[in-house]
Amino acid sequence: MSTQYSILFKQEHAHDDAIWTAAWGKSEADGTETIVTGSLDDMVKVWKWSDEKLELQWTLEGHQLGVVSVDISHNGAIAASSSLDAHIRLWDLESGKQIKSMDAGPVDAWTVAFSPDSKYIATGSHLGKVNIFGVESGKKEYSLDTRGKFILSIAYSPDGKYLASGAIDGIINIFDIATGKLLHTLEGHAMPIRSLTFSPDSQLLVTASDDGYIKIYDVQHANLAGTLSGHGSWVLNVAFSPDDTHFVSSSSDKSVKVWDASSRACINTFFDHQDQVWSVKYNSTGSKIISAGDDRAIHIYDCPM
């Protein structure tokens, strides 16, 4: 148990090019912890985290162009990846084999996110539509239309009720999943929203934008609850801790910041990366944070519990 924030592990040269995306999952079957990374080098890599270090388990080949986004199903069994090659691929994390490849249409898969029940994968499109694919069917099941611009970021609320999307023009849309209705349109940012995340209790939505700000919204009333400054450049990724108490952000300013969710204060900043940090996530218990970016390195940090 750590009493302070510290860097625990660095995996240098984890990929041959910039790392754009990372996910941290835990297997329900055996409790093993898996990290999946995706890179501009076209590769998806699967790492095992044990004994406080990373071990490369699989290098998954198949994408023809850079890997933009990865996610891990909630039972830890399957990974999804999306690429500039317009395909979404599903991978079996047990065997390292590709399960399915889904054609998302030209340039029409950016962020991928598993639904809380892991039966669906949502991805944003250039045309302002959120396309929902069935994990079993491997086909597009339905779409949610923002009638807006290119969707860069996407998130399901943990309670399965809402889906939020962030667009290149700074517009945020929140949908009711059961009805498919657009509930709220939020105009908090004037620049691209590269990431958004719901709090574990599904009450708050945290957004990250190229304008350098992080915004917090009350989901139910669509009120702006806070605007956080601190990053010196684009905010590229945000993620909530599983216990609802903190969230973490990463930026083009090469830093990773930890924020207290109630006081909204930045309580720790890591300046360990050499270049912009595209991805940041918590593990399933909130005891660790992973970050990855243009310097091709994966960093794991210890959090006080």
Side-chain angles (χ1 to χ4, degrees):
M1 294 296 244
S2 177
T3 54
Q4 61 198 42
Y5 287 95
S6 60
I7 184 151
L8 186 62
F9 182 85
K10 283 187 189 185
Q11 181 73 47
E12 310 276 359
H13 313 296
H15 280 268
D16 294 336
D17 210 328
I19 303 170
W20 277 350
T21 176
W24 193 321
K26 186 174 182 174
S27 164
E28 274 178 9
D30 58 9
T32 54
E33 303 207 55
T34 300
I35 286 162
V36 177
T37 52
S39 165
L40 189 51
D41 67 7
D42 312 350
M43 296 300 169
V44 175
K45 290 191 176 182
V46 180
W47 312 78
K48 273 277 174 271
W49 173 255
S50 64
D51 304 327
E52 314 237 299
K53 60 181 194 291
L54 281 182
E55 266 179 63
L56 182 63
Q57 200 181 16
W58 319 105
T59 299
L60 307 177
E61 298 181 23
H63 285 297
Q64 306 299 307
L65 290 166
V67 180
V68 182
S69 177
V70 294
D71 196 17
I72 298 174
S73 64
H74 296 271
N75 64 2
I78 301 172
S81 58
S82 65
S83 156
L84 299 172
D85 68 8
H87 281 76
I88 298 167
R89 296 175 192 272
L90 294 181
W91 312 89
D92 181 329
L93 291 175
E94 212 33 30
S95 65
K97 299 274 187 286
Q98 181 178 300
I99 304 168
K100 282 188 176 72
S101 171
M102 304 181 270
D103 188 347
V107 293
D108 257 6
W110 204 252
T111 309
V112 283
F114 276 99
S115 61
D117 63 8
S118 298
K119 290 179 179 168
Y120 299 97
I121 290 169
T123 178
S125 78
H126 255 70
L127 302 165
K129 284 189 170 68
V130 179
N131 292 321
I132 314 283
F133 292 83
V135 170
E136 279 294 300
S137 69
K139 292 182 172 58
K140 187 162 92 179
E141 303 281 347
Y142 63 99
S143 293
L144 302 168
D145 195 354
T146 67
R147 298 192 170 80
K149 297 275 197 303
F150 177 26
I151 296 169
L152 286 176
S153 52
I154 217 149
Y156 277 96
S157 63
D159 65 7
K161 287 182 184 166
Y162 308 111
L163 186 143
S165 64
I168 203 160
D169 59 355
I171 302 286
I172 300 149
N173 286 292
I174 301 176
F175 290 92
D176 179 313
I177 293 176
T179 63
K181 279 198 175 70
L182 179 57
L183 291 178
H184 306 302
T185 298
L186 309 169
E187 302 185 11
H189 298 277
M191 290 172 77
I193 295 166
R194 306 231 171 228
S195 177
L196 29 74
T197 182
F198 283 90
S199 56
D201 65 6
S202 303
Q203 301 293 307
L204 299 175
L205 180 69
V206 177
T207 61
S209 170
D210 288 8
D211 63 13
Y213 292 102
I214 296 165
K215 302 224 171 192
I216 304 172
Y217 295 92
D218 164 351
V219 174
Q220 214 176 342
H221 307 105
N223 295 340
L224 179 62
T227 300
L228 310 184
S229 58
H231 282 297
S233 184
W234 298 3
V235 189
L236 299 174
N237 210 203
V238 280
F240 236 100
S241 69
D243 66 359
D244 239 334
T245 58
H246 298 86
F247 54 90
V248 64
S249 60
S250 66
S251 166
S252 303
D253 68 9
K254 308 178 188 173
S255 78
V256 169
K257 286 182 179 288
V258 182
W259 306 82
D260 182 297
S262 51
S263 72
R264 317 235 158 109
C266 175
I267 56 165
N268 196 77
T269 305
F270 295 107
F271 288 110
D272 298 282
H273 281 285
Q274 306 301 309
D275 206 336
Q276 51 186 10
V277 189
W278 280 105
S279 191
V280 66
K281 294 283 186 306
Y282 277 93
N283 67 348
S284 62
T285 60
S287 66
K288 306 280 183 290
I289 293 166
I290 180 173
S291 64
D294 279 354
D295 63 4
R296 309 175 185 192
I298 301 168
H299 293 179
I300 310 278
Y301 311 93
D302 226 346
C303 304
M305 293 298 277

